[in-house]
Amino acid sequence: REASGKWVRVNKTPILDMKYRVTGLFEGNTYEFRVFAENMVGLSKPSPSSDPIKASRPITPPGPPINPKLKDKTKESADLVWTKPLKDGGSPILGYIVECQKTGTTQWNRINKDELIRQCAFRVPGLVEGNEYKFRIKAVNIVGEGEPRELPETVLAKDILSPPEISLDVTCRDLITVRVGQTIRITGKVKGRPDPEITWSKDGKVLVQEKHVEILHDLPNVELQVKEAKRSDHGKYIIAAKNGCGQAQAFAVVNVLDRPGPCPVRNLKVTDISSDRCTVTWDPPEDDGGCEIQNYILEKCESKRMVWSTYSSSVLTNYAKVTRLIEGNEYIFRVRAENKMGTGPPTETHPIIAKTKYDRPGRPDPPEVTRVSKEEMTVVWNPPEYDGGKSITGYILEKKEKRSLRWVPVTKTPIPERRKKVTNLFPGHEYQFRVSAENEVGLGEPSLPSRPVIAKDPIEPPGPPTNLRVVDSTKTSLTLGWGKPVYDGGAPIIGYVVEMRPKVEGADPEAGWKRCNVAAQVIHTEFTATSLDEKQLYEFRVSAQNQVGLGRPAELKEAVSPKEILEPPEIELDASMRKLVTVRAGCPIRLFAIVRGRPAPKVTWRRMGIDNVIRKGQVDLVDTMAFCVIPDSTRDDSGKYSLTLVNAAGEKAVFVNVRVLDTPGPVSDFKVSDVTKMSCHLSWAPPENDGGSPVTHYILQKREADRKTWATVTAELKKTSFQIANLVPGNEYYFRVTAVNEYGAGVPSDIPKPVLATDPLSEPDPPRKLEVTEITKNSATLGWLPPLRDGGSKIDGYIVSYKEHDQPADRWTEYSVVKDLSIVVAGL
């Protein structure tokens, strides 16, 4: 049992031995034990209790500390860190002892002589610059010192030099947004040995400590505070750190939210003035206050009253249509921009008078009825000759039964098209229709009524084809074209019949006609009559046919004779194609032109100096339009394109200049020169393709050959050359240059192979301190030290030569080439 606790049985089955190992005890608790004897009759009384005993483990010295290593060093001190031992020997560790051994000696000296080190870190003072040291660490508990653990490497007492590194806090890396009057805080950490000199700047101006600006430097922590921020404080803040090893910089972009302004909205104009409405347009203010403009507030004022009233406080676009004006009154309008911070200053228009310069549309021609059935009819009509000066916005179609006097609108809203299927008619009833045109001014006069039509299923042939004409001609053929009949008789058109006859003066109108398409029905609205005599005049007529039969024919207005038409090619470029065609990268390039010529010319699109662009683009010829579409354009698609037309009558060509606005291409002639173990010189030429925008600067990056990440050397380089410093001797480096224009960073250009940071190779200096260390009657042992300079390359070996004392100075005999610093010369 635990002291003064309840007795608990330990073994579940009887034991025969006079001893037993009790498990499951808790360290630090005090226990008592008692024993029962048992025979066939039963259990005896318990023995007297044992003396109380405390459960604890045996105490030994602790194990060695784990993973001791050098954290930092200077020429006078070394910072060591380690992890506590795995075994504390059964007693808490009281502290640690650090010992030091100077290289070349065997004696270990205790550093912390007065008291133990409580933490797992210690700064060793009093080192001598240039000397090498070994360190070891022991843990100590109540028993004594444990086994030591030695640092795996020796430590050379010298300062560590490192270029500056700047790391802005996560909250400062993207965009810092504050309201006007708040404090801008940019915080981060700056590292470097020795401590770098730090400067803050904005828009090229160095910031200094003042009432408005507070600069806090407690390395490695740095902070810039701009108090009571104004809108003018927004922009790019740059922190630069510089020491003897190099320099670094970082930046943070700050946005200060304020009301739009101080300049109001621009180009405020009033257009489309009529008797009761007008349109107010404007451009957004130059400064939106740092946050998106949510809406505009439009106010109006009658000049004679001079009382401002809000027309709309939630205009989302940069224009507004103002209605309910009183004709003849003079009005002034003003507009203010509003964002989430408030409203900006207003801008006023010049006074305008509400009066119209437009009219309602004229009366259309009577509509025509097509596709008649017993329950529905399709009504078509043409626009009026006079639209009132404004485009037609829709039509009102009305219907009535022939015997009725009341016109009823077919739809509740205006019809945008010029045709309408009228449904839910009564079979057998006779209907008439009329149509009115509508524009912004109002509804015009209705047309005259259409002819009466009975609602019944079609039982009549179609009407005549429309617009019969000659579309092409050769010496022996004529090509006719026409449009579908306005009225198909209530059934689909199944084909056309083309007839012709030689022209004879005074002939019967129905005599002498000969069917051209004898073999089959003409389905399309075009037909070519062949085997004609160019000296003969011919008359043509065309009839449409539906399931009922042939309809009335449409005749060509006058007789024609076949003749060859030759027209040299002509190209009509759209106004947008005549100057410079500019597109953003990724958008398609669409080149098009109207082409003419007889016979139809061959169309060829080319890019000057390069093969036909068909390999990437899509070239089409639709009727008289020639298209060239290049999808997903890149900077490589910039250039001069030609459109060439060729036919028997001649040749014509035009040129179109295309500029694709993209990031720049790769720089050219990227070279490395003047390589030393600490530096090299880089140079390059600007990219051949600047992406349609001048190169503003270059980004220069480097990386060590055994690493994958690129480090930026400079991100705002204006020149096409740069001297790289602070290379680590013996390391291999890759370098990369990227050109930047207003559209962003372009294609990076890398050097093809890594550059080894080493001085140019030369001959090594002679070995030092050549001595004969041992000599016998026929051999000699030599020893020497390496040369001071190896010539920029590792020493491959040493050439050992000898000569007898009285031999001439040029009679040396080569003995051997060795890599060690000693040799035994035998055979003397």
Side-chain angles (χ1 to χ4, degrees):
R1 68 175 181 179
E2 291 188 33
S4 70
K6 184 181 178 182
W7 288 100
V8 178
R9 181 168 177 169
V10 174
N11 58 319
K12 296 182 179 179
T13 58
I15 54 175
L16 299 177
D17 290 342
M18 297 299 182
K19 62 181 179 180
Y20 182 73
R21 184 177 187 83
V22 179
T23 60
L25 304 182
F26 292 96
E27 186 176 357
N29 288 5
T30 302
Y31 294 90
E32 293 177 334
F33 300 91
R34 67 183 183 183
V35 181
F36 292 82
E38 185 178 16
N39 64 9
M40 291 176 62
V41 178
L43 285 175
S44 69
K45 291 184 178 180
S47 68
S49 300
S50 67
D51 293 332
I53 186 167
K54 190 175 184 181
S56 61
R57 48 186 149 175
I59 299 174
T60 60
I66 298 171
N67 193 23
K69 56 186 177 182
L70 178 70
K71 182 181 180 183
D72 197 5
K73 67 176 182 177
T74 67
K75 62 184 179 181
E76 297 176 345
S77 64
D79 291 350
L80 309 179
V81 294
W82 59 90
T83 307
K84 67 180 183 179
L86 290 174
K87 298 179 181 179
D88 60 5
S91 174
I93 291 178
L94 302 176
Y96 299 91
I97 295 172
V98 176
E99 295 181 329
C100 157
Q101 182 191 63
K102 188 175 178 182
T103 302
T105 66
T106 59
Q107 183 179 352
W108 289 92
N109 299 316
R110 177 169 171 173
I111 304 298
N112 54 321
K113 297 178 181 179
D114 297 333
E115 56 184 19
L116 297 176
I117 301 165
R118 302 292 181 184
Q119 307 295 327
C120 290
F122 185 66
R123 173 169 289 178
V124 179
L127 304 184
V128 179
E129 184 176 6
N131 286 354
E132 286 191 353
Y133 297 89
K134 290 183 179 180
F135 298 98
R136 68 183 186 186
I137 303 156
K138 302 177 186 176
V140 180
N141 65 6
I142 196 168
V143 175
E145 299 177 4
E147 181 184 345
R149 177 85 74 185
E150 192 173 329
L151 252 68
E153 76 274 8
T154 60
V155 177
L156 177 64
K158 70 172 186 178
D159 283 332
I160 297 175
L161 300 178
S162 64
E165 293 180 14
I166 302 175
S167 173
L168 293 181
D169 288 350
V170 176
T171 55
C172 305
R173 289 179 189 168
D174 294 330
L175 178 67
I176 302 172
T177 303
V178 299
R179 292 173 178 261
V180 166
Q182 294 181 336
T183 299
I184 301 170
R185 283 188 172 83
I186 304 174
T187 57
K189 294 184 181 295
V190 177
K191 300 178 183 177
R193 300 280 290 271
D195 288 346
E197 178 185 339
I198 299 170
T199 56
W200 295 84
S201 61
K202 174 183 176 289
D203 301 333
K205 181 181 177 183
V206 176
L207 302 178
V208 296
Q209 187 94 8
E210 54 177 290
K211 181 181 178 181
H212 185 50
V213 178
E214 186 168 353
I215 299 174
L216 304 173
H217 291 167
D218 183 13
L219 294 180
N221 298 317
V222 294
E223 181 176 0
L224 172 69
Q225 295 182 5
V226 181
K227 300 176 181 178
E228 298 179 0
K230 302 188 290 289
R231 174 63 185 150
S232 59
D233 290 326
H234 81 285
K236 186 176 181 180
Y237 288 78
I238 298 175
I239 176 174
K242 182 178 181 181
N243 65 10
C245 295
Q247 58 185 13
Q249 66 173 215
F251 67 87
V253 179
V254 175
N255 187 19
V256 181
L257 304 181
D258 196 1
R259 296 182 299 176
C263 298
V265 297
R266 300 167 293 156
N267 300 335
L268 182 60
K269 293 182 289 188
V270 183
T271 58
D272 299 337
I273 303 169
S274 67
S275 59
D276 65 343
R277 64 192 63 202
C278 66
T279 302
V280 183
T281 62
W282 60 88
D283 291 336
E286 291 183 0
D287 188 354
D288 60 7
C291 55
E292 182 181 6
I293 291 178
Q294 295 174 331
N295 58 276
Y296 297 91
I297 299 172
L298 173 61
E299 298 172 290
K300 71 175 182 178
C301 166
E302 291 185 34
S303 298
K304 60 185 179 182
R305 294 174 59 196
M306 286 312 292
V307 176
W308 288 98
S309 62
T310 301
Y311 179 78
S312 175
S313 60
S314 57
V315 182
L316 300 179
T317 58
N318 56 353
Y319 66 90
K321 293 185 177 181
V322 182
T323 59
R324 299 181 182 177
L325 302 180
I326 300 173
E327 187 171 4
N329 281 10
E330 188 178 64
Y331 292 92
I332 305 172
F333 301 93
R334 69 182 183 190
V335 177
R336 289 178 290 167
E338 183 174 23
N339 62 14
K340 65 182 181 181
M341 301 299 295
T343 57
T347 302
E348 292 186 10
T349 66
H350 295 297
I352 62 102
I353 297 175
K355 61 180 182 179
T356 182
K357 60 180 179 180
Y358 303 111
D359 201 355
R360 294 181 294 180
R363 169 183 285 181
D365 291 335
E368 291 194 30
V369 180
T370 64
R371 294 186 182 276
V372 180
S373 71
K374 63 183 180 181
E375 291 185 348
E376 62 185 37
M377 299 178 187
T378 299
V379 184
V380 298
W381 59 89
N382 291 320
E385 292 184 1
Y386 176 59
D387 62 4
K390 299 291 284 185
S391 58
I392 303 294
T393 57
Y395 297 89
I396 301 296
L397 178 65
E398 297 173 294
K399 69 178 180 181
K400 78 176 183 70
E401 293 190 34
K402 184 179 179 182
R403 291 172 295 177
S404 172
L405 297 175
R406 182 168 167 265
W407 289 95
V408 179
V410 173
T411 58
K412 294 181 180 179
T413 57
I415 305 166
E417 300 88 9
R418 296 201 306 272
R419 63 187 299 119
K420 179 66 180 175
K421 181 185 284 187
V422 183
T423 58
N424 300 323
L425 303 178
F426 294 105
H429 287 220
E430 198 170 14
Y431 290 93
Q432 285 181 294
F433 299 91
R434 72 179 185 182
V435 66
S436 306
E438 185 178 27
N439 63 11
E440 291 183 10
V441 179
L443 189 64
E445 289 283 322
S447 69
L448 295 175
S450 67
R451 62 182 176 86
V453 180
I454 300 174
K456 62 180 182 178
D457 287 332
I459 53 170
E460 56 184 337
T466 59
N467 193 23
L468 178 61
R469 66 204 181 279
V470 177
V471 296
D472 202 357
S473 173
T474 69
K475 289 182 180 180
T476 60
S477 69
L478 284 164
T479 300
L480 305 177
W482 59 88
K484 292 181 179 180
V486 175
Y487 175 56
D488 61 5
I493 301 294
I494 58 175
Y496 300 90
V497 173
V498 181
E499 298 172 286
M500 76 171 184
R501 68 178 181 181
K503 180 173 176 151
V504 178
E505 292 293 336
D508 183 357
E510 295 299 321
W513 289 102
K514 176 184 174 184
R515 182 166 171 167
C516 297
N517 54 318
V518 178
Q521 197 87 299
V522 177
I523 299 174
H524 304 292
T525 56
E526 191 173 292
F527 179 79
T528 301
T530 57
S531 304
L532 304 180
D533 185 358
E534 65 178 324
K535 298 178 182 178
Q536 177 69 50
L537 286 170
Y538 295 89
E539 294 176 312
F540 289 88
R541 69 183 187 183
V542 178
S543 306
Q545 185 175 6
N546 63 9
Q547 64 191 32
V548 177
L550 279 175
R552 288 183 293 115
E555 294 190 16
L556 207 59
K557 291 182 179 179
E558 56 188 14
V560 292
S561 62
K563 57 185 177 181
E564 192 70 55
I565 300 175
L566 282 180
E567 294 178 5
E570 288 292 330
I571 303 174
E572 184 179 328
L573 272 183
D574 187 83
S576 61
M577 302 281 115
R578 291 176 189 164
K579 295 182 181 179
L580 179 67
V581 178
T582 304
V583 297
R584 289 296 299 267
C587 298
I589 300 172
R590 293 186 176 90
L591 307 179
F592 55 92
I594 299 175
V595 297
R596 302 185 186 88
R598 298 283 301 276
K602 180 184 177 183
V603 178
T604 307
W605 288 94
R606 296 187 186 276
R607 179 170 164 203
M608 301 304 289
I610 302 182
D611 292 341
N612 198 320
V613 298
I614 294 176
R615 288 182 304 170
K616 181 178 179 183
Q618 179 181 352
V619 176
D620 283 320
L621 181 63
V622 181
D623 293 335
T624 60
M625 293 293 290
F627 296 90
C628 178
V629 180
I630 302 174
D632 299 326
S633 61
T634 67
R635 66 181 75 81
D636 299 324
D637 294 320
S638 296
K640 192 174 186 180
Y641 290 77
S642 70
L643 169 60
T644 306
L645 304 185
V646 180
N647 70 0
E651 182 174 346
K652 180 79 172 183
V654 295
F655 300 92
V656 181
N657 291 307
V658 175
R659 177 184 293 168
V660 180
L661 303 180
D662 198 356
T663 58
V667 302
S668 58
D669 199 23
F670 189 15
K671 295 186 296 189
V672 184
S673 58
D674 301 337
V675 180
T676 71
K677 64 182 179 181
M678 295 289 285
S679 66
C680 66
H681 186 264
L682 306 179
S683 63
W684 58 89
E688 296 178 0
N689 190 331
D690 63 3
S693 174
V695 173
T696 57
H697 60 278
Y698 298 89
I699 300 172
L700 178 59
Q701 298 172 293
K702 72 174 182 181
R703 72 173 175 88
E704 296 181 16
D706 56 352
R707 295 190 178 183
K708 294 184 178 180
T709 56
W710 291 90
T712 300
V713 178
T714 175
E716 297 283 343
L717 184 58
K718 303 292 185 183
K719 300 184 297 183
T720 56
S721 63
F722 192 76
Q723 183 75 18
I724 298 282
N726 302 320
L727 300 181
V728 178
N731 278 13
E732 289 187 326
Y733 290 90
Y734 282 97
F735 298 96
R736 165 185 284 182
V737 171
T738 307
V740 183
N741 64 9
E742 67 172 293
Y743 302 108
V747 180
S749 180
D750 298 3
I751 58 170
K753 57 183 180 179
V755 175
L756 180 64
T758 179
D759 286 332
L761 299 181
S762 61
E763 295 179 357
D765 286 358
R768 297 174 294 143
K769 296 185 179 181
L770 175 61
E771 293 179 354
V772 178
T773 58
E774 188 179 339
I775 192 161
T776 67
K777 63 182 180 179
N778 58 4
S779 69
T781 301
L782 310 179
W784 59 90
L785 294 177
L788 283 174
R789 289 193 298 272
D790 59 10
S793 179
K794 181 181 177 183
I795 300 293
D796 290 327
Y798 299 88
I799 301 172
V800 180
S801 304
Y802 69 90
K803 76 177 182 68
E804 293 183 18
H805 181 63
D806 54 356
Q807 290 287 332
D810 60 345
R811 293 293 300 275
W812 287 93
T813 302
E814 182 173 330
Y815 179 74
S816 179
V817 177
V818 296
K819 294 187 177 182
D820 297 330
L821 297 176
S822 63
I823 188 174
V824 177
V825 182
L828 302 179

